[in-house]
Amino acid sequence: MKKKLFWLWIVFHAAILLSFLISLAVSPRISFGTNLFDILPPSSSLHEVQAADTSLADRTGRAVTILVKSDDFERAKEFSRRFYDSFLDKDGNSDSDFFDTLSFYVDANSVGETIEWLHENRFMLLDSETCIALEEGGASEIASDALSSVYGAFSFSDLSGLEEDPFLLSERIMQKMLGSGAVSATGMMLRDDVLACEKEGAWYVLIRGMVSKRGSSLTGKKSTVRSVFERAEALKADSGGEEIEFIFSGVPFHSYENATSAQVQISLISFVSLILIVLVFLWIFRTPLPAFISALAVSFSCGIGFISVLLFFRGIHVLTFVFGTTLIGICLDYSIHYFVNWKGNLSCKSGEDVRNRILRGVTLGFSSTEICFLALFFAPFPLLKQVSVFLFTGLASSYLSVVALYPLLKMPKQRGKMVSLPAFSNKRLFRKARILIPLVLFGISLTVIFTNYRSFKVKNNIQELYSMSAEMRRNEIVSATVLDTGSVGWYFIVKADSEELLLQKNEELGQLLDSAIESERLKNYLSVAQFIPSEKTQRRSYESASSLLPLAKEQYEALGIENLAENYENNYRLLKNAFVHPSDRNIPSSIKSALQNLWIGEIDGSFYSCVLPLHADASDESFFREAAAGREGVFFVNKVRDISSQLDELSESMLLMLAFAFVAVLAILLFCYEARVVLKIAAVPVLVTLVTASVLILSGIHLSFFPITAIVLVFGLGLDYIIYAVEGSGESEKADSLKNLNSFAIVLSFITTALSFGALALSTFPPVHTLGLTVFVGLSVAVTSAFCLSKI
C-alpha cells in the first residue's frame, strides 16, 4: 500500500504538470482577470447578444477619461500637453504599449476632415426635416436659407465648398448633428485646439484614451494605469507650487484600485496569518519540522490548484485566490491531525501507524469536502468553476501528500512532549453544556431569522461588491459634472442579419427615442443612425435633393458665381448609389471616435450596434425596457440590475446544489456509521447554516452570492470537524489521552483556520470581508457543535 500511494501521488501530480506544460506549448497566452464584470454571469435575457455585449464591454472597459484642472486655462492646457506628450512614441503617435488611441488636440485638420466628408456625402446624409421640406415643395426655402447664411451680417458658415454646394447642404447636416448632440455629447467646448470647460472658476482640459490590451495589465512596467498615476504625480511634483489636479475616470482605474487594494490586503493578512500559524506550530510541537513540512505541502497544493485553473481556463481571476485561501485551512487540518499523532500518540511506532490512525477520518472528511467543491463546478458561472477546480485539485494534492509522503518522515526522538490544553482532558467541560449550547444557538438563530424574515431572502446587488475609495468617488462625481454626458448606466443592443437591416432598426428605435424626448422622458441619445443612416434613408435623402436641381442656376446667379448649374447636376448624378457605411475606412476621426462605442459590427454572421440613451430619469427605465421587449432584435441592457437578478437565480441554484451535496454526503456516511451517528453529523451543517444566516442578517449583509458560496465552503470544512470528533469519541476502548489528542487536533485545526479567515474579515474589500466573516462564524459554530453533538 505504501508504494501504491506513493506512485499515485507521482502520477497525479505528473499528469497535471505535464498537461500544463503541453498546453503552454500549444497556447502560451495566460490571462489574469481583475475586472469584476469578467467573473459575473451573463444575463439569461441577453444570451442571444452575449458575444456582442462582451465585445462592447471590452471597448468601454478600456476607455479612460482624464481631466486636468487648474484655475488658469493656459496652465491646465500646458500640463495636459506635457502629460499627453509623455505617452507619445518617437513618431508622435500614442505609445501602443499603453494606449491604442490617445486624443488631446482637436485641430483644424480634424474639423476640416469632418467638413470635407460631409461635403462629399451631402446628398446622402440629409436629415429627416430637410427631406420632408424638399418633398413638400420647400426647396426654395432651403435655397433662401443658404443665401441668408452667406450674406448674413454674422455668418459663421464654411464657404470653401460653395461652388459645389450652393445650397449649403453639408452645413445643414453639420448643424443638425451639433444640435442633436450627436457630434459632441459632453459639456466640453473647443478652445485653442483642445476640449475644455470652465466650472465654478476652475478650468478643466480633456484627454481621452483607449487602453491597449497589453497595457491593461495591473502589474509590471507596462501597466497603463500605474504609468498614468506615476506620470501625473511627477508632473504635480514638478509644478513649482502651482495648483494642478488630475481627475481620472473609467473602468481601468476602478479595476486597478479594486485589484491592488485586494491584493495588498490579502497578501498582508495572509502573511501575518501564516506567521502566527507557524508560531503556533513551533509552540505546540517544539520542533520546526511540522511547520516546515505543512507550509511546504500547503504551498505545493495551492500551486497545483493554480496550475489546474490555468490548464482548464487559460487564465485565473483575482477572486479565485480569495476563495482559494480556503484550501490553506483544509490542508493544514490534514497536516495537524497527522503531526498531533506523530508527536503525541505513543501507540504509533511508525509513520504508517500514524496514517492508519487518521486514515478513516481524513478520508471521509476529504470525500465529503470534495463533493461540496465538485458541486460548485456545475454552477453556470466562470468564477465558481475556477474556484471548484482550484480547491478540488489542491485538496486532492494535499490529501495524497499526507497519506503518501508524510509516513516517509522519521518519527521524532522525543515523543509525547507537546503543549496540551487542560480543558481537553476535563470531561466535565461539555457534560452539562453539550445539549444546551446547540439548542441555544438553534433557538437564537431561529428567533433572529423569524423576526427579520423579510431580510431572510436571496438578494444580490453587484454595486455592493466594490467599495469605491473616497478619492475615486470624488473623481467620478467631478468627471460626471464636468463632462455632463448624461449616461444612465443602461443601453440598447440592436441585432440584425445584415448591416442594412441593422441601420434600419437603429432608425426605428431612434423614432421611439425621439418621441421619448418630446415627452421629456429623455434628453438625448446616441445612435449609429445619427451619423450614418441606412441605405434606404440615404436613397430617400438623395432623391429628395433632386428637387434642388431646377433651382441651381438661379442660386449660382444669386451667389454671383459663374453658372455651374450643369456641373452641379453632373456631380449629383455621379453620386447616385454612393452610399456611406459604418465600416468605411474614410470616415473622419471625429465621427469614427463617436462610432467606436456604438458600432459593434459583425459577430458570427450577425450584425450588432449599441444605442445610448442620455439624461434619462431612472424611474422611466421600465418604459424603455418594455419598449425594447416589443421590438424584434432590440435588447435592453441594465448590467447592474440584470446581473444582480442573474446572481439571485445562481444563488438559489447553489442552495439547491448544496442540498444535493448534503444528501450525497449523508448517503456515503450511512455506509460507515449507524443512523444515530449520521443524524448527529447532519445536524452540524444545518445549525451552521442557520447561525451564519442570522449573523449575516444582524450584520446587514444580504444573503447573496458570496455569503452563500462561503456557506458551501463552510459546509465542507464543518463536516470535517464533526467526522473527526465522531471518530475520536467512538474509541471507547482506548485511553482518554487518545481521545483528548483527537480533540486537541480538532481545536488546533480550527485555530489555524480561524487565524486565516478571521483576519480576512478585517478586509475593507467587500467580497473578502464577507467571505472571511461568513467562514469564521460558520467554522466557530461547526467546531463548537461538533464537540457537543459527538458526545451525546
Side-chain angles (χ1 to χ4, degrees):
M1 183 176 178
K2 181 178 179 180
K3 290 184 178 181
K4 289 181 179 180
L5 287 174
F6 178 77
W7 281 109
L8 179 61
W9 187 95
I10 294 291
V11 170
F12 176 80
H13 293 93
I16 293 177
L17 292 173
L18 288 176
S19 298
F20 176 66
L21 292 175
I22 293 172
S23 71
L24 279 182
V26 176
S27 177
R29 185 173 181 179
I30 299 294
S31 63
F32 183 78
T34 56
N35 191 344
L36 182 61
F37 285 102
D38 291 343
I39 53 90
L40 295 175
S43 171
S44 56
S45 62
L46 299 178
H47 180 73
E48 191 174 345
V49 293
Q50 185 58 43
D53 190 50
T54 300
S55 176
L56 178 64
D58 177 63
R59 301 180 196 179
T60 58
R62 292 188 288 118
V64 296
T65 298
I66 301 168
L67 293 171
V68 183
K69 175 187 176 183
S70 177
D71 294 338
D72 179 69
F73 168 76
E74 293 298 334
R75 186 161 57 243
K77 179 183 176 183
E78 171 62 17
F79 277 91
S80 299
R81 181 195 62 77
R82 291 168 61 182
F83 179 84
Y84 171 76
D85 288 347
S86 71
F87 282 101
L88 299 182
D89 58 23
K90 61 182 180 180
D91 297 322
N93 301 315
S94 57
D95 191 337
S96 60
D97 284 337
F98 298 106
F99 291 98
D100 285 339
T101 60
L102 188 66
S103 60
F104 171 52
Y105 293 107
V106 184
D107 54 26
N109 291 333
S110 176
V111 175
E113 182 187 21
T114 302
I115 293 175
E116 182 181 353
W117 182 77
L118 292 176
H119 175 77
E120 291 175 356
N121 300 285
R122 60 193 179 279
F123 296 124
M124 298 299 181
L125 301 179
L126 294 177
D127 61 275
S128 179
E129 292 180 7
T130 302
C131 289
I132 293 174
L134 292 172
E135 291 167 351
E136 295 180 352
S140 58
E141 294 180 8
I142 291 176
S144 298
D145 289 344
L147 293 175
S148 298
S149 296
V150 173
Y151 293 113
F154 301 99
S155 176
F156 296 98
S157 301
D158 179 22
L159 305 180
S160 60
L162 197 59
E163 291 186 355
E164 293 183 353
D165 187 15
F167 300 101
L168 297 182
L169 296 182
S170 58
E171 178 77 11
R172 295 181 69 90
I173 299 170
M174 175 64 84
Q175 292 298 327
K176 181 63 178 178
M177 285 187 176
L178 290 173
S180 65
V183 173
S184 178
T186 72
M188 310 300 285
M189 64 180 181
L190 183 62
R191 176 170 175 172
D192 290 354
D193 297 334
V194 298
L195 290 174
C197 175
E198 184 182 19
K199 290 280 186 181
E200 299 179 354
W203 280 95
Y204 299 84
V205 176
L206 175 65
I207 301 173
R208 290 178 291 188
M210 181 69 68
V211 175
S212 65
K213 290 190 176 181
R214 185 185 306 177
S216 298
S217 170
L218 299 182
T219 58
K221 296 180 180 180
K222 296 302 181 181
S223 169
T224 299
V225 174
R226 175 180 292 180
S227 297
V228 165
F229 286 157
E230 289 176 351
R231 298 182 193 194
E233 286 300 319
L235 285 172
K236 289 168 67 175
D238 193 38
S239 64
E242 296 179 353
E243 187 65 29
I244 197 77
E245 183 179 352
F246 288 83
I247 297 160
F248 308 104
S249 175
V251 172
F253 296 113
H254 292 276
S255 295
Y256 183 86
E257 179 186 68
N258 189 12
T260 53
S261 174
Q263 288 173 351
V264 168
Q265 289 186 14
I266 293 171
S267 299
L268 179 60
I269 291 172
S270 299
F271 176 75
V272 173
S273 299
L274 183 60
I275 294 298
L276 291 175
I277 290 171
V278 169
L279 292 176
V280 168
F281 267 64
L282 292 175
W283 178 59
I284 296 293
F285 297 109
R286 305 296 175 88
T287 175
L289 183 63
F292 174 75
I293 295 296
S294 298
L296 190 64
V298 167
S299 301
F300 188 77
S301 297
C302 290
I304 288 296
F306 175 74
I307 290 174
S308 299
V309 173
L310 296 182
L311 173 64
F312 280 93
F313 303 99
R314 311 309 303 160
I316 192 168
H317 196 277
V318 64
L319 286 180
T320 301
F321 289 109
V322 176
F323 286 108
T325 54
T326 309
L327 189 62
I328 298 175
I330 308 175
C331 294
L332 283 175
D333 286 355
Y334 295 165
S335 293
I336 287 169
H337 278 273
Y338 182 90
F339 283 114
V340 163
N341 285 274
W342 175 81
K343 180 73 172 180
N345 192 340
L346 298 178
S347 65
C348 295
K349 305 301 181 182
S350 66
E352 289 190 35
D353 288 344
V354 177
R355 180 186 60 201
N356 295 335
R357 159 75 180 164
I358 67 170
L359 184 61
R360 175 177 156 117
V362 168
T363 301
L364 287 175
F366 166 74
S367 301
S368 62
T369 306
E370 288 286 66
I371 289 175
C372 296
F373 291 163
L374 185 62
L376 294 177
F377 187 81
F378 294 99
F381 192 0
L383 174 65
L384 286 187
K385 292 182 182 295
Q386 287 191 14
V387 171
S388 175
V389 170
F390 190 102
L391 296 178
F392 190 90
T393 55
L395 186 60
S397 172
S398 179
Y399 172 78
L400 288 174
S401 295
V402 170
V403 299
L405 299 185
Y406 279 29
L408 300 178
L409 297 172
K410 291 183 178 180
M411 299 297 288
K413 293 181 179 180
Q414 294 182 338
R415 306 287 304 283
K417 290 186 177 182
M418 186 176 63
V419 171
S420 61
L421 301 179
F424 293 110
S425 62
N426 185 358
K427 294 182 179 180
R428 299 176 183 177
L429 179 64
F430 294 112
R431 184 172 296 171
K432 296 181 179 179
R434 61 191 182 193
I435 297 178
L436 184 61
I437 291 176
L439 289 177
V440 170
L441 291 175
F442 184 77
I444 292 176
S445 59
L446 280 184
T447 301
V448 171
I449 292 172
F450 179 77
T451 54
N452 298 272
Y453 69 93
R454 293 183 179 178
S455 302
F456 190 66
K457 61 181 179 181
V458 174
K459 182 180 179 182
N460 286 274
N461 184 353
I462 63 172
Q463 292 177 320
E464 297 177 354
L465 302 183
Y466 169 45
S467 180
M468 193 184 304
S469 68
E471 182 180 0
M472 188 59 68
R473 184 180 294 106
R474 176 185 171 278
N475 281 352
E476 289 296 345
I477 292 173
V478 172
S479 180
T481 303
V482 172
L483 296 177
D484 193 29
T485 55
S487 176
V488 291
W490 39 265
Y491 50 92
F492 300 94
I493 288 183
V494 186
K495 175 186 178 183
D497 294 331
S498 68
E499 185 177 288
E500 171 63 11
L501 288 176
L502 180 61
L503 291 172
Q504 290 183 24
K505 287 187 176 183
N506 271 264
E507 292 168 343
E508 293 170 1
L509 180 58
Q511 294 174 3
L512 168 68
L513 298 179
D514 287 334
S515 63
I517 292 175
E518 293 177 2
S519 62
E520 298 184 350
R521 293 181 183 270
L522 189 69
K523 184 178 179 181
N524 197 6
Y525 67 92
L526 290 176
S527 169
V528 177
Q530 292 172 306
F531 303 94
I532 302 177
S534 65
E535 287 188 8
K536 177 181 177 181
T537 300
Q538 291 184 52
R539 186 175 290 106
R540 177 196 176 192
S541 171
Y542 180 83
E543 293 173 353
S544 64
S546 64
S547 61
L548 294 171
L549 296 179
L551 302 179
K553 182 178 180 180
E554 182 181 345
Q555 187 76 353
Y556 278 115
E557 292 175 353
L559 291 171
I561 301 176
E562 184 180 350
N563 190 358
L564 297 176
E566 186 176 346
N567 290 342
Y568 181 82
E569 184 171 347
N570 289 337
N571 287 336
Y572 175 81
R573 305 297 180 193
L574 288 173
L575 292 174
K576 184 178 182 180
N577 296 327
F579 300 114
V580 185
H581 301 95
S583 54
D584 290 347
R585 294 186 176 181
N586 65 336
I587 295 175
S589 57
S590 60
I591 303 295
K592 191 177 294 183
S593 176
L595 292 178
Q596 190 172 28
N597 292 331
L598 299 176
W599 184 254
I600 302 174
E602 183 180 5
I603 300 177
D604 297 332
S606 296
F607 292 81
Y608 301 88
S609 69
C610 173
V611 177
L612 297 173
L614 302 174
H615 297 284
D617 194 320
S619 61
D620 289 326
E621 179 185 334
S622 58
F623 167 81
F624 293 102
R625 186 182 289 272
E626 292 171 5
R631 294 174 178 268
E632 183 180 359
V634 178
F635 301 84
F636 181 89
V637 182
N638 182 338
K639 270 201 166 179
V640 172
R641 179 167 297 182
D642 291 345
I643 294 178
S644 295
S645 299
Q646 189 71 3
L647 280 175
D648 288 345
E649 297 177 12
L650 180 58
S651 300
E652 292 170 357
S653 67
M654 286 178 61
L655 290 175
L656 185 61
M657 285 189 292
L658 181 60
F660 282 124
F662 183 51
V663 173
V665 170
L666 294 184
I668 293 175
L669 293 177
L670 281 172
F671 286 98
C672 303
Y673 302 109
E674 58 185 33
R676 182 180 63 84
V677 176
V678 173
L679 186 61
K680 290 193 294 184
I681 295 174
V684 171
V686 173
L687 186 59
V688 166
T689 302
L690 291 177
V691 175
T692 304
S694 63
V695 171
L696 291 174
I697 290 174
L698 295 176
S699 301
I701 300 175
H702 297 300
L703 189 63
S704 55
F705 164 73
F706 282 98
I708 290 175
T709 303
I711 289 174
V712 174
L713 300 178
V714 172
F715 184 91
L717 288 167
L719 279 174
D720 288 355
Y721 293 146
I722 183 63
I723 289 173
Y724 296 148
V726 166
E727 284 289 302
S729 64
E731 298 173 347
S732 57
E733 74 284 359
K734 296 192 176 180
D736 288 342
S737 60
L738 294 184
K739 296 181 183 180
N740 292 336
L741 201 64
N742 184 73
S743 298
F744 176 69
I746 294 173
V747 172
L748 185 57
S749 299
F750 166 73
I751 290 174
T752 55
T753 307
L755 282 174
S756 300
F757 287 100
L760 287 179
L762 301 176
S763 172
T764 59
F765 186 43
V768 178
H769 168 76
T770 301
L771 175 69
L773 177 64
T774 307
V775 174
F776 178 75
V777 171
L779 291 184
S780 299
V781 176
V783 73
T784 302
S785 56
F787 279 118
C788 293
L789 295 174
S790 65
K791 298 180 181 296
I792 296 177

